[in-house]
Amino acid sequence: MTSSFILDAVANPHPLAAWLRLTLTPGLGPSSQRQLLAAFGLPERIYEAGHSAIAAVIGGPMARTLLDHDATAAVDAALDWQAQPGNAVLTLGDVAYPAALLEIPDPPVVLYVKGDPALLARQSVAVVGARNATPQGEANAEAFSAALSQAGLTIVSGLALGIDGAAHRGGLAGPGSTVAVIGTGADRIYPARNAALARRIAEAGAIVSEFPLGTAPLAHNFPRRNRLIAGLACGVLVVEAALKSGSLITARLAIDCGREVFAIPGSIHSPVARGCHQLIRDGAKLVEAASDILEELRLAPREAAPVPDLATPEPVGDEGRVVAALGHDPVDIDTLVRRTSLTPEALYAILLALELDGRVSRLPGGRLQRL
């Protein structure tokens, strides 16, 4: 016997209702959802098929759960959310569903979007990297992303701390804007430190999630969202990454999807450069400027919005000596004393001035790095 609430759910006139009900059934994973859609077509027809036909596809127990579970409250909440300005829900049957995701092996059945859904269909580059990035790594991520956005490419990343946040800020600086693929529900922002950035992205870009509203920041959801970051983009740029980094997972997923992979080299002494070096050894394209990526993708910067020249004049005198002695690798104060022959007192004064000027950053362990 079919429960009355099931009939009500199927009869709900809203075109999204059956899609949401399908994806909000507990225990019914995306693979089973796609199997049912392949077997019956639209979600309404799944529920019309009856227990025996559904059981032939996903098994009896799961078929009973699908038919008996009351998802009315969750469906209504999702419909209320998407009715708010700036929110959207895209399904596999929607013409606005991003075509790039149809090329990956396991596209989400439903996407929750906060912001401009049209950005998901734009040509884009993913920019990813370490959460505990160096200041230079963050500066590189923001500069590359700004240049690529100026060239008309949308920047895709994961709204994490470090490289992701810097990539989004760079994307927002140009007309390409940015898309944040998150591992929580679209109504929740993680980490909280990126809340202000998330608001900017929702206003001028897009935040997208495949997870139901209210989904908490569960650890296993973040590697899963990486396939969407790779799938949406025509190429993935890894700025900094350790050898056991989620960014390398994104890069490998990109290769599996036939996307280009780019990596910025770093110091041989830096742990967050080793993942990039491994990718380069494995065939990723080494890049030193955004123009390298544009060339590989057979694109060119817009004449009206050229790639900015971020270089600043080099300091002279004792400041110049210290900057030269810093080199491009992290260095401790004792090494700088030996290289410059300055007294520690004089050196500290110069380093403070350089730090205030944004030329030097202090790293954990008392080391310093030139920016």
Side-chain angles (χ1 to χ4, degrees):
M1 180 180 293
T2 304
S3 302
S4 60
F5 67 78
I6 297 174
L7 293 174
D8 290 343
V10 174
N12 189 319
H14 198 289
L16 287 174
W19 287 95
L20 291 167
R21 177 175 167 77
L22 176 67
T23 57
L24 292 171
T25 300
L28 185 69
S31 177
S32 296
Q33 295 167 21
R34 288 190 296 272
Q35 288 176 349
L36 288 169
L37 290 169
F40 301 107
L42 295 174
E44 293 89 341
R45 294 176 183 169
I46 297 172
Y47 295 104
E48 294 168 355
H51 180 271
S52 296
I54 295 172
V57 178
I58 59 173
M62 199 66 249
R64 179 51 55 201
T65 299
L66 178 67
L67 292 173
D68 287 352
H69 177 68
D70 184 1
T72 303
V75 169
D76 288 346
L79 291 175
D80 289 344
W81 180 86
Q82 69 87 38
Q84 298 173 19
N87 295 344
V89 176
L90 303 180
T91 73
L92 276 175
D94 198 321
V95 293
Y97 190 93
L101 290 185
L102 298 177
E103 300 173 2
I104 69 175
D106 50 352
V109 173
V110 164
L111 290 172
Y112 298 83
V113 184
K114 193 170 188 64
D116 183 4
L119 287 174
L120 304 183
R122 296 268 297 272
Q123 190 168 28
S124 60
V125 169
V127 180
V128 298
R131 287 175 172 82
N132 59 334
T134 67
Q136 186 63 62
E138 291 193 27
N140 288 342
E142 186 165 352
F144 270 72
S145 297
L148 294 171
S149 181
Q150 289 287 353
L153 291 166
T154 298
I155 303 302
V156 180
S157 199
L159 198 60
L161 298 175
I163 297 301
D164 286 16
H168 290 306
R169 291 191 295 271
L172 289 169
S177 193
T178 189
V179 170
V181 183
I182 61 176
T184 63
D187 57 340
R188 300 188 64 167
I189 296 302
Y190 179 85
R193 285 166 57 185
N194 276 346
L197 176 60
R199 286 192 292 271
R200 290 179 59 201
I201 296 172
E203 292 170 358
I207 297 173
V208 60
S209 174
E210 67 179 307
F211 301 107
L213 299 176
T215 299
L218 304 175
H220 61 269
N221 284 344
F222 290 90
R224 179 165 178 77
R225 62 90 194 264
N226 289 350
R227 82 192 196 289
L228 302 188
I229 295 175
L232 282 170
C234 58
V236 173
L237 169 64
V238 182
V239 179
E240 286 185 336
L243 284 174
K244 294 182 179 180
S245 166
S247 301
L248 299 193
I249 296 174
T250 306
R252 294 187 186 102
L253 290 168
I255 294 171
D256 292 343
C257 295
R259 288 8 179 200
E260 299 289 343
V261 176
F262 310 96
I264 299 177
S267 167
I268 61 172
H269 304 292
S270 173
V272 292
R274 290 172 186 162
C276 291
H277 294 169
Q278 183 62 55
L279 288 173
I280 293 168
R281 283 193 290 270
D282 292 343
K285 181 177 177 61
L286 184 155
V287 295
E288 298 176 319
S291 56
D292 296 333
I293 297 173
L294 297 173
E295 179 182 350
E296 188 71 17
L297 297 177
R298 295 177 174 81
L299 300 172
R302 295 179 176 179
E303 291 185 6
V307 176
D309 182 4
L310 300 177
T312 56
E314 289 294 328
V316 296
D318 285 343
E319 284 193 359
R321 287 172 58 196
V322 173
V323 169
L326 280 164
H328 295 280
D329 290 340
V331 63
D332 58 51
I333 193 72
D334 291 336
T335 300
L336 283 178
V337 168
R338 290 196 303 271
R339 289 178 179 177
T340 62
S341 300
L342 293 168
T343 65
E345 292 77 12
L347 188 56
Y348 277 120
I350 293 171
L351 287 170
L352 177 60
L354 290 171
E355 188 175 4
L356 293 174
D357 198 33
R359 293 180 179 274
V360 171
S361 176
R362 295 184 184 273
L363 303 178
R367 296 181 303 165
L368 302 115
Q369 184 174 46
R370 175 180 178 178
L371 298 178

